[in-house]
Amino acid sequence: MGFETAALARIVGFVAALWRKMWSSPLAKATESLPQELGGARLIYAERLFRSQSPVVITARVDRVYRNAKGKLVLVELKTREANRTYWSDVIELSAQRFALSGQTGEAMADYAYILTERPDGCPTGSHRVRLMAPADLIALAMRRQKLLAGKHEPERADFRGVCRKCAFVQLCNLP
Amino acid sequence: MAPVKHRCRSASVNASELAQMGVCERLVVFEHHCGKLRTAEQQIAIERGRGAHRRFYWERNGGSDRGKCGSAGHFGHQVRRIWTNWYCLLLRVTRWLHAAENRNGL
């Protein structure tokens, strides 16, 4: 009798959780994975391409942009990965997005952004607030890239050798 | 693994290309000269990421796509979602009951 009651309770609990998930309001569903700060924020752009003109031409497609309580635009980027963490490349990408968006629209942007991570099976794992690069640093990075491509600088190798294991150029690279 | 595209423009850069600078500078130079090479594993991850972004875009207003007609597409989507959820529920309950029966030696 005890086993049957426990079984029934678990089934009822599961059905109730499923029901709540299915019939929660659409807005609640859209914002449930967002950080608390953006819970009631207004979505301004989604999947939109922006382009800055000077001093470097940077194009960027943003995932989502919200306006926070202070009236500034906040970038939100989705990343699908096993590890619940962010990388330096994420910060560069979001900084470039901010540069392109503010360059094209002239809108005030927050100096931070959010990265939502989810596992490859679609299960959300968290949201991470990252501080973005200053525009001058981003421009310097873009300039360095141009010099690398022109052969004026020697490219540095990856700091983390795990990158090399997954790299398709590992044989060409011929690192010791 | 095949080269995807070789781009010869250095005046303009997109955010993803610039982000590669944070991964490996040698990779940036190789991709510029040889085109993008992707391992099978990376290609699968890219496709998976595209699918996730399509869903993320769909969910921007809670799954209601203002640009499209809301009724037919949205209704179909809801029906599919409800059916999938109930099917998963039935499967889980069935498996769980089987496991419980085996545990009790019934």
Side-chain angles (χ1 to χ4, degrees), chain A residues 5-21, chain B residues 89:
Chain A
T5 311
L8 193 64
R10 285 184 70 170
I11 290 171
V12 168
F14 185 76
V15 170
L18 193 67
W19 189 265
R20 209 168 43 241
K21 185 176 166 62
Chain B
L89 171 68

Side-chain angles (χ1 to χ4, degrees), chain B residues 4-102:
Chain B
V4 177
K5 197 183 274 185
H6 177 55
R7 294 180 181 177
C8 282
R9 54 185 177 83
S10 56
S12 163
V13 61
N14 71 42
S16 309
E17 288 170 345
L18 194 55
Q20 291 281 65
M21 290 285 285
V23 179
C24 175
E25 289 186 350
R26 294 173 74 101
L27 172 64
V28 171
V29 175
F30 276 125
E31 284 197 342
H32 179 73
H33 292 302
C34 309
K36 287 182 179 173
L37 295 181
R38 300 281 183 237
T39 61
E41 190 184 343
Q42 285 169 333
Q43 198 59 46
I44 290 168
I46 287 169
E47 288 304 321
R48 202 164 45 209
R50 283 185 185 144
H53 273 85
R54 276 194 293 273
R55 183 172 44 74
F56 193 58
Y57 179 69
W58 164 259
E59 289 173 351
R60 71 195 185 284
N61 291 318
S64 61
D65 198 337
R66 283 183 197 158
K68 292 180 181 174
C69 94
S71 50
H74 188 59
F75 179 73
H77 177 73
Q78 290 287 349
V79 168
R80 268 197 304 277
R81 206 161 57 86
I82 290 167
W83 166 247
T84 309
N85 282 333
W86 280 105
Y87 183 71
C88 288
L89 171 68
L90 280 174
L91 271 181
R92 286 181 70 165
V93 169
T94 311
R95 282 182 198 151
W96 184 73
L97 284 175
H98 272 298
E101 281 173 7
N102 289 340

Side-chain angles (χ1 to χ4, degrees), chain A residues 140-155:
Chain A
L141 188 72
M143 295 295 188
R144 174 166 173 80
R145 181 179 177 276
Q146 285 184 9
K147 285 178 181 166
L148 287 175
L149 299 185
K152 291 177 184 170
H153 280 315
E154 188 64 26

Side-chain angles (χ1 to χ4, degrees), chain A residues 102-158:
Chain A
S102 65
Q104 183 175 325
T105 66
E107 294 240 36
M109 304 279 303
D111 61 356
Y112 58 86
Y114 287 99
I115 295 170
L116 308 182
T117 50
E118 68 171 37
R119 283 205 304 259
D121 62 4
C123 179
T125 46
S127 68
H128 307 264
R129 180 174 159 145
V130 291
R131 180 162 286 278
L132 301 179
M133 297 166 70
D137 294 338
L138 189 78
I139 292 166
L141 188 72
M143 295 295 188
R144 174 166 173 80
R145 181 179 177 276
Q146 285 184 9
K147 285 178 181 166
L148 287 175
L149 299 185
K152 291 177 184 170
H153 280 315
E154 188 64 26
E156 298 205 0
R157 59 187 62 169

Side-chain angles (χ1 to χ4, degrees), chain A residues 15-82:
Chain A
V15 170
L18 193 67
W19 189 265
R20 209 168 43 241
K21 185 176 166 62
M22 281 165 57
W23 297 108
S24 57
S25 74
L27 193 62
K29 265 183 279 181
T31 57
E32 67 189 4
S33 58
L34 291 176
Q36 197 175 3
E37 182 200 347
L38 301 179
R42 188 173 163 219
L43 179 69
I44 307 296
Y45 301 113
E47 284 293 330
R48 185 80 75 86
L49 191 70
F50 294 95
R51 183 185 177 91
S52 70
Q53 291 300 335
S54 65
V56 287
V57 181
I58 294 179
T59 55
R61 181 176 288 280
V62 301
D63 282 356
R64 286 188 196 174
V65 182
Y66 289 87
R67 194 180 297 284
N68 69 9
K70 292 178 183 169
K72 291 191 173 180
L73 298 185
V74 181
L75 290 158
V76 176
E77 175 85 358
L78 175 73
K79 292 291 177 192
T80 308
R81 56 179 59 137
E82 287 289 349

